[in-house]
């Protein structure tokens, strides 16, 4: 269990009031982008992946909130630029289907996210969904399943629109990756990753989360150079 603090702000657009949460903690090792059309990727190190798992658990329980992860200004090194077709990083926004959020209002909302006054802290067990029975995964394979993730990209942002079920089950896939990615790289010299395609509403899309630790990559490359 960990306590995570967020800025909280209500923004009104027209007759709609949106409750936005923004992490107080840094997400400077998280990279969010599009590998090719409708093929999305997230890169982060072990700590970042655990934070992302925690935030998936958080949003699964807060149906009335929009969770905004401001990651688009994290600088992409040349290596990561090659993984995103337009060489650009993006923000990440998480919210529920039931919110019926119009993403065309996001640019105005983001511009008004200044002068935070309120703060809120949540206690989150990031590992709560790591031991989910296989039948919970199998249900996502059925065509009639409505608990799925919609992904849209606009305004330098990936929008993840889901449900309590899909957000919580997805979180459990990130913890093993966060813990095993380091050793996987040392042994195989490549990214460990978790495919999330199973959770997507559209089967012509892909979502992959990759373990990427810049310090680890650099240290191994330096050792190679000295050999």
């Amino acid at each position: 269990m960990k306590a995570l603090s967020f800025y909280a702000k209500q923004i009104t657009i027209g007759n709609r009031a949106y409750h936005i949460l923004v992490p107080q903690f840094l997400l400077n090792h998280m990279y969010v982008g599009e590998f090719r059309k409708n093929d999305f990727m997230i890169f982060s190190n072990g700590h970042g992946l655990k934070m992302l798992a925690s935030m998936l658990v958080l949003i699964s329980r807060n149906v009335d909130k929009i969770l905004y992860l401001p990651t688009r200004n994290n600088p992409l090194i040349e290596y990561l630029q090659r993984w995103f077709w337009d060489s650009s990083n993006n923000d990440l926004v998480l919210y529920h289907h039931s919110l019926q959020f119009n993403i065309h209002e996001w640019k105005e909302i983001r511009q008004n996210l200044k002068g935070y006054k309120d703060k809120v802290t949540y206690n989150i067990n990031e590992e709560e969904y790591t031991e989910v029975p296989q039948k919970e995964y199998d249900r996502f394979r059925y065509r009639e399943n409505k608990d799925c993730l919609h992904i849209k990209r606009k305004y330098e942002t990936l929008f993840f629109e889901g449900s309590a079920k899909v957000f919580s089950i997805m979180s459990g896939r990130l913890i093993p990756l966060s813990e095993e990615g380091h050793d996987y790289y040392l042994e195989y010299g490549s990214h460990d990753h978790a495919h999330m395609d199973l959770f997507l509403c559209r089967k012509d899309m892909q979502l992959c989360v990759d373990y990427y630790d810049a310090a680890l990559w650099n240290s191994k490359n330096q050792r190679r150079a000295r050999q």
Side-chain angles (χ1 to χ4, degrees), residues 11-52:
I11 294 179
T12 301
I13 306 291
N15 60 355
R16 293 288 305 274
Y18 297 109
H19 301 276
I20 317 296
L21 296 176
V22 184
Q24 279 190 260
F25 46 90
L26 293 176
L27 296 169
N28 54 328
H29 296 293
M30 189 175 295
Y31 311 94
V32 179
E34 191 171 18
F35 178 58
R36 52 178 174 258
K37 188 67 174 176
N38 294 330
D39 188 349
F40 303 100
M41 300 186 74
I42 297 175
F43 291 88
S44 195
N45 58 17
H47 174 73
L49 292 172
K50 287 183 178 180
M51 291 295 99
L52 182 56

Side-chain angles (χ1 to χ4, degrees), residues 200-215:
L200 302 185
C201 298
R202 286 180 52 179
K203 301 310 177 185
D204 61 336
M205 285 186 169
Q206 296 182 33
L207 173 62
C208 188
V209 181
D210 280 46
Y211 183 98
Y212 172 75
D213 186 325

Side-chain angles (χ1 to χ4, degrees), residues 9-219:
K9 188 168 186 177
Q10 178 177 305
I11 294 179
T12 301
I13 306 291
N15 60 355
R16 293 288 305 274
Y18 297 109
H19 301 276
I20 317 296
L21 296 176
V22 184
Q24 279 190 260
F25 46 90
L26 293 176
L27 296 169
N28 54 328
H29 296 293
M30 189 175 295
Y31 311 94
V32 179
E34 191 171 18
F35 178 58
R36 52 178 174 258
K37 188 67 174 176
N38 294 330
D39 188 349
F40 303 100
M41 300 186 74
I42 297 175
F43 291 88
S44 195
N45 58 17
H47 174 73
L49 292 172
K50 287 183 178 180
M51 291 295 99
L52 182 56
S54 296
M55 288 182 285
L56 286 169
V57 173
L58 171 66
I59 197 62
S60 75
R61 294 174 179 168
N62 287 271
V63 184
D64 61 332
K65 304 292 193 299
I66 294 175
L67 180 54
Y68 169 43
L69 312 187
T71 53
R72 66 190 166 112
N73 291 325
N74 293 342
L76 292 177
I77 65 170
E78 183 179 353
Y79 173 75
L80 289 175
Q81 288 177 14
R82 296 200 300 265
W83 286 91
F84 299 153
W85 69 267
D86 57 355
S87 301
S88 65
N89 203 359
N90 294 261
D91 290 332
L92 184 60
V93 170
L94 313 175
Y95 59 95
H96 283 250
H97 300 299
S98 58
L99 198 61
Q100 296 185 321
F101 174 52
N102 181 357
I103 66 172
H104 296 286
E105 296 176 336
W106 177 247
K107 197 171 184 178
E108 184 176 354
I109 291 173
R110 186 167 60 191
Q111 289 172 346
N112 285 284
L113 281 174
K114 298 177 182 178
Y116 302 109
K117 294 182 179 179
D118 298 327
K119 298 178 183 179
V120 61
T121 298
Y122 295 91
N123 292 315
I124 304 169
N125 178 6
E126 65 192 21
E127 299 185 4
E128 184 171 351
Y129 296 96
T130 54
E131 301 294 336
V132 174
Q134 183 60 42
K135 65 180 181 181
E136 293 294 334
Y137 289 99
D138 291 341
R139 67 197 301 273
F140 289 99
R141 304 181 191 280
Y142 303 138
R143 186 181 299 273
E144 61 273 19
N145 173 54
K146 301 301 181 184
D147 283 318
C148 55
L149 186 74
H150 285 285
I151 301 180
K152 301 173 185 177
R153 185 185 181 206
K154 196 173 182 66
Y155 307 128
E156 299 177 283
T157 303
L158 284 194
F159 297 92
F160 281 13
E161 179 183 291
S163 66
K165 178 66 70 174
V166 72
F167 285 134
S168 59
I169 302 298
M170 284 177 63
S171 73
R173 297 288 303 276
L174 299 181
I175 299 302
L177 179 62
S178 72
E179 295 173 344
E180 298 166 7
H182 179 278
D183 291 344
Y184 184 96
Y185 178 73
L186 291 179
E187 183 171 355
Y188 300 106
S190 59
H191 306 175
D192 197 3
H193 54 276
H195 286 285
M196 300 292 194
D197 307 354
L198 174 67
F199 303 107
L200 302 185
C201 298
R202 286 180 52 179
K203 301 310 177 185
D204 61 336
M205 285 186 169
Q206 296 182 33
L207 173 62
C208 188
V209 181
D210 280 46
Y211 183 98
Y212 172 75
D213 186 325
L216 177 63
W217 263 240
N218 291 339
S219 66

